[in-house]
Amino acid sequence: MTRSPLARPRVALLDYGLGNVHSAAKALEAAGADVTLTADRTAVMEADGLVVPGVGSMASCMAGIQAIRGGELIGRRLAGSRPVLGICVGMQVLFSSGEEGGGTTAGLDEWPGTVRRLRADILPHMGWAQVEAPEDSVLFEGLRDERFYFVHTYAATEWHIDPHPRIRPPRVTWAEHGERFIAAVENGPLSATQFHPEKSGEAGIRLLGNWVRGL
């Protein structure tokens, strides 16, 4: 179905029982989207964009995503170059695995790497922080000196994807708390942020607006 150029982009907020869904929905609406909280397969596939929220542990989020076959839906959207945005633990589940509570949780393996406990004196990392975004970032366009709100103990701290001569390399944004960690990734139709745009005030709304305008 082709969207009218005057219509607001339709965003499906994946409903798997976890995530800061109400504030995320309000922020996305403020950013210019029509938002539906849903796990319906047709609605998820037909939406212009899909947002995967996440709070709590990676293990609990993965259990909820698996219960609704969310990994399959995300994979099918990406195979068709349909945009997906992960937020906080919704970003962490996109990596191969996570270490939390003494165990290992398998992720969706869209990106190689392990999400692990940050090496920092104070945890969780909670509060506002600046990020180091690449010059060609789309998500952070017009947001170079802004700060964003983080609440997390675990993060991906390494990025290992070999460049391909015919494919644009992912844009990786970094932040620091005790050590450098990945704060955001823009990888074709798949984007994600470790921070919470919906809790980051006007800067977060503008970042979500950058994503919504690309749908």
Side-chain angles (χ1 to χ4, degrees):
M1 181 184 300
T2 302
R3 187 178 83 241
S4 163
L6 299 179
R8 288 161 61 96
R10 298 165 299 144
V11 170
L13 188 58
L14 190 63
D15 184 9
Y16 61 95
L18 292 169
N20 193 29
V21 292
H22 298 298
S23 59
K26 288 178 63 177
L28 285 160
E29 288 168 353
D34 283 339
V35 182
T36 302
L37 176 64
T38 183
D40 178 80
R41 298 178 67 80
T42 300
V44 167
M45 292 306 301
E46 291 185 351
D48 298 308
L50 172 66
V51 172
V52 183
V55 295
S57 72
M58 182 171 168
S60 61
C61 285
M62 277 302 302
I65 288 170
Q66 289 170 338
I68 64 165
R69 295 170 63 187
E72 177 186 334
L73 292 173
I74 293 168
R76 287 181 60 192
R77 281 191 62 91
L78 295 176
S81 296
R82 308 295 305 279
V84 176
L85 174 67
I87 294 177
C88 197
V89 187
M91 169 177 171
Q92 295 179 6
V93 299
L94 298 170
F95 286 89
S96 300
S97 63
E99 299 174 353
E100 193 165 357
T104 299
T105 298
L108 297 176
D109 202 26
E110 295 294 340
W111 297 319
T114 299
V115 175
R116 61 170 180 78
R117 186 180 178 91
L118 287 170
R119 299 186 182 100
D121 293 335
I122 298 175
L123 289 172
H125 174 211
M126 181 181 298
W128 298 81
Q130 285 189 307
V131 302
E132 304 168 24
E135 289 296 325
D136 62 347
S137 170
V138 175
L139 280 181
F140 293 93
E141 184 178 357
L143 297 167
R144 293 295 168 192
D145 299 319
E146 298 289 352
R147 296 162 70 86
F148 298 89
Y149 191 78
F150 292 83
V151 183
H152 64 120
T153 297
Y154 293 79
T157 58
E158 298 179 351
W159 182 260
H160 297 297
I161 290 184
D162 293 331
H164 190 287
R166 293 188 295 275
I167 299 176
R168 178 192 291 273
R171 303 176 179 98
V172 181
T173 294
W174 297 84
E176 186 166 343
H177 181 73
E179 62 180 319
R180 279 168 60 84
F181 65 88
I182 297 172
V185 179
E186 300 162 72
N187 183 199
L190 180 58
S191 300
T193 66
Q194 177 61 67
F195 56 86
H196 286 275
E198 77 280 7
K199 296 181 180 180
S200 296
E202 181 61 28
I205 300 296
R206 287 164 59 195
L207 181 140
L208 290 173
N210 287 342
W211 182 73
V212 168
R213 281 190 293 275
L215 300 179

